Amino acid sequence: MTRFGVIGGGIAGLSAAWALRQRGIDVVVFESSDRIGGKLQTERLNGLLIDAGPDSFLSSKPAGLNLVEQLGLGDRVVNTLSDGGGTFIMRDGRLIPLPEGITLLVPAEFKAIAKTPLLSPIGKARMAMDYVIRARQDDADESIGSFVRRRVGRQAFERMAEPLLSGIYAGDADQLSLLSTFPRLRDTERTHGSVIKGAIAQKRQARASSNGNQPRRTPFVSLAGGMDELVTALMDQIGRERIQTSAHVVSIVEPNGTLTVELASGERDVFDGVVIATPASETADMLALLDSEMASSLRRIPYVSSATISLAFKASDVAGKQVGRGFVIPRAEGRTLTAVTWTSNKFGGRVPEDMALLRGFVGRAGNQRPAFLEDEELIPLVRAELQSILGIDAEPLLARVYRWPRAMPQYNLGHPEILTSLAERLANYPRLALTGAAYRGVGIPDCIGDAIAQATALADRVQSSITAQPA
């Protein structure tokens, strides 16, 4: 039996370990912290269910739901509440509904855009020019900000695309690489000559190809008991005895065709193959002795820090002030908050009937300081902004802050070249694979899909090499 090491106990590392176990490979998972699950962390307090990190995942990307089904959690999947209301965007201090049909950061229903007060008549006319602006056909990368402005104008970027992007990447749209974040937008421009035409065509295609026999899923779904149900199920199927916490890997070397993992404790373990699923800077530290050039490329991937602040209120104290499922806030508004989600309006079973729960977000590229404020400073700051925006001045029944230092990788311009460099260096180490949010997607389904793909390809390489060895 081949034996693999998996370094990192977040969703990517656990998915990789699970995929290897499906192949009958023995694994050991090393997690440097004292808990498994990475950003997938759920707390249950006073009848409340609070996700500290992601509280949902996209249903349109199949890797997430496929894994959930294979883990036997299909009946635990929950849709967003049908009566929870929509999403809003702040403009000049007011909350305005996000126009229906927004897909790929552009509208698939132009009628909704024509009616929205988010854009001026000039802004709407500029957006409509997307129908006639000539498409770029070259392969050169550009920032998302540049692309959106070029296609649909400055107003559409600042008032719609930028706040939505901030909610996904917490990044600077003028630095984020289009080819690494939304390559489909470039493909859509080339194929249809217009991103709006392309979005409309893709929406029609999705309707035509929908399977009426499958359960209808909302764009975002979660698990009934919170996102750490996914972590628990993965741990059970991997085997908890194979998972080590407080196991900090400091280096990896390659003597005699195998990989040796060295821990801070001084312990060493030898494996036929190793999957590393840790943040890029941590991975760089581990690989510095093995390949300094690869470590240098990994250190070029920047990260942004953020924090979530969950506040619970008496439902009667916020009656009439719960605006839809939540809202996003453009940079131009000059707020500390970047977004707010009404958890109690998003999924059922999260709060007692007489309570309401919201979650505020702070920290993004260019303004990470709020993520590091002490609770005594951050919570009053968030409450003051909620009072200004929503008129909520009630004392919360509960307040919880979850900080995520350097947790969000930034796919800035130059990211495709970093991936190319890493691939070239990894070709020298067929028993090693890298996966995680730093490379090919930051969402939960992205991390799951990439981890399974990388682990499976690694298993194929290693097992083929073992079979090819002379007896």
Side-chain angles (χ1 to χ4, degrees):
M1 178 183 287
T2 51
R3 187 166 179 267
F4 280 41
V6 175
I7 305 173
I11 186 59
L14 293 176
S15 298
W18 175 83
L20 294 170
R21 291 296 300 140
Q22 296 298 109
R23 295 280 293 263
I25 295 171
D26 193 19
V27 298
V28 178
V29 178
F30 300 98
E31 167 55 40
S32 61
S33 73
D34 60 1
R35 59 171 298 277
I36 294 294
K39 300 182 193 72
L40 300 191
Q41 178 181 345
T42 307
E43 279 203 86
R44 296 157 185 88
L45 300 165
N46 303 332
L48 300 164
L49 190 152
I50 304 173
D51 277 308
D55 66 353
S56 59
F57 60 96
L58 279 171
S59 63
S60 59
K61 295 186 175 183
L65 282 174
N66 287 347
L67 178 60
V68 165
E69 292 287 347
Q70 291 178 76
L71 291 171
L73 297 175
D75 61 349
R76 302 292 293 169
V77 176
V78 292
N79 288 333
T80 51
L81 294 170
S82 59
D83 58 354
T87 300
F88 292 73
I89 294 181
M90 179 178 286
R91 183 191 170 195
D92 297 330
R94 296 185 300 120
L95 298 181
I96 298 172
L98 177 69
E100 293 183 6
I102 293 289
T103 178
L104 290 175
L105 307 179
V106 293
E109 295 181 11
F110 204 79
K111 290 180 181 178
I113 293 296
K115 297 177 181 178
T116 181
L118 278 171
L119 303 179
S120 71
I122 292 175
K124 294 172 185 178
R126 173 61 183 86
M127 176 175 272
M129 287 179 65
D130 173 66
Y131 279 90
V132 297
I133 292 175
R134 189 172 181 176
R136 277 184 56 177
Q137 296 298 328
D138 61 79
D139 295 326
D141 199 1
E142 65 182 309
S143 72
I144 304 177
S146 170
F147 178 88
V148 175
R149 290 190 192 95
R150 179 168 61 80
R151 293 307 316 179
V152 295
R154 179 183 58 81
Q155 274 195 26
F157 167 73
E158 292 179 352
R159 300 180 185 181
M160 290 194 301
E162 186 276 328
L164 293 173
L165 279 167
S166 183
I168 300 170
Y169 290 97
D172 181 347
D174 287 323
Q175 295 296 322
L176 291 171
S177 158
L178 178 71
L179 297 185
S180 288
T181 53
F182 289 93
R184 285 176 58 196
L185 283 173
R186 173 58 61 79
D187 294 339
T188 298
E189 179 186 26
R190 285 174 171 168
T191 303
H192 299 275
S194 157
V195 291
I196 296 177
K197 287 180 184 177
I200 292 171
Q202 289 172 26
K203 186 173 183 178
R204 288 172 179 166
Q205 183 180 5
R207 285 174 177 170
S209 61
S210 62
N211 188 341
N213 296 324
Q214 294 295 322
R216 182 174 176 82
R217 301 298 188 194
T218 51
F220 288 92
V221 295
S222 187
L223 296 171
M227 291 302 299
D228 72 351
E229 281 197 43
L230 182 55
V231 174
T232 299
L234 283 166
M235 291 174 65
D236 288 342
Q237 293 207 13
I238 293 165
R240 292 174 183 254
E241 72 281 1
R242 295 183 172 91
I243 300 172
Q244 299 181 20
T245 56
S246 301
H248 177 52
V249 174
V250 293
S251 69
I252 298 171
V253 293
E254 188 184 33
N256 306 319
T258 57
L259 292 172
T260 297
V261 171
E262 182 176 355
L263 278 68
S265 64
E267 296 177 71
R268 292 189 173 193
D269 210 340
V270 179
F271 298 99
D272 298 296
V274 171
V275 179
I276 306 180
T278 55
S281 59
E282 295 178 23
T283 304
D285 292 342
M286 294 176 209
L287 297 178
L289 293 177
L290 181 67
D291 193 308
S292 60
E293 188 174 331
M294 189 173 357
S296 178
S297 292
L298 287 162
R299 291 192 176 101
R300 290 171 55 200
I301 302 174
Y303 280 73
V304 164
S305 301
S306 63
T308 64
I309 307 93
S310 289
L311 301 175
F313 297 93
K314 289 182 180 179
S316 57
D317 287 342
V318 295
K321 299 173 182 177
Q322 299 185 54
V323 181
R325 293 193 182 96
F327 54 91
V328 293
I329 303 175
R331 289 175 184 268
E333 296 291 323
R335 300 277 183 171
T336 298
L337 283 167
T338 61
V340 170
T341 297
W342 281 103
T343 304
S344 45
N345 286 355
K346 191 173 181 181
F347 295 109
R350 262 49 179 175
V351 300
E353 289 187 4
D354 60 347
M355 295 174 68
L357 179 66
L358 66 75
R359 187 162 73 148
F361 299 79
V362 300
R364 57 181 160 194
N367 186 23
Q368 300 180 59
R369 179 179 173 273
F372 296 99
L373 295 176
E374 296 294 333
D375 289 7
E376 293 76 14
E377 186 175 359
L378 180 58
I379 293 172
L381 181 60
V382 169
R383 289 188 59 200
E385 291 208 349
L386 290 173
Q387 198 282 330
S388 171
I389 298 167
L390 300 175
I392 296 175
D393 54 12
E395 186 76 23
L397 301 172
L398 177 143
R400 297 288 286 174
V401 177
Y402 305 93
R403 291 176 181 80
W404 302 106
R406 301 191 75 250
M408 179 60 74
Q410 300 296 288
Y411 294 0
N412 287 346
L413 291 167
H415 190 76
E417 289 75 20
I418 294 174
L419 296 187
T420 298
S421 173
L422 290 174
E424 291 171 353
R425 299 308 303 165
L426 281 167
N428 299 315
Y429 308 98
R431 294 176 179 268
L432 180 66
L434 306 183
T435 190
Y439 309 109
R440 289 163 287 269
V442 300
I444 291 174
D446 299 316
C447 291
I448 291 170
D450 188 69
I452 292 173
Q454 298 300 322
T456 301
L458 179 64
D460 288 341
R461 292 196 302 271
V462 171
Q463 292 179 329
S464 294
S465 68
I466 292 174
T467 302
Q469 290 176 2

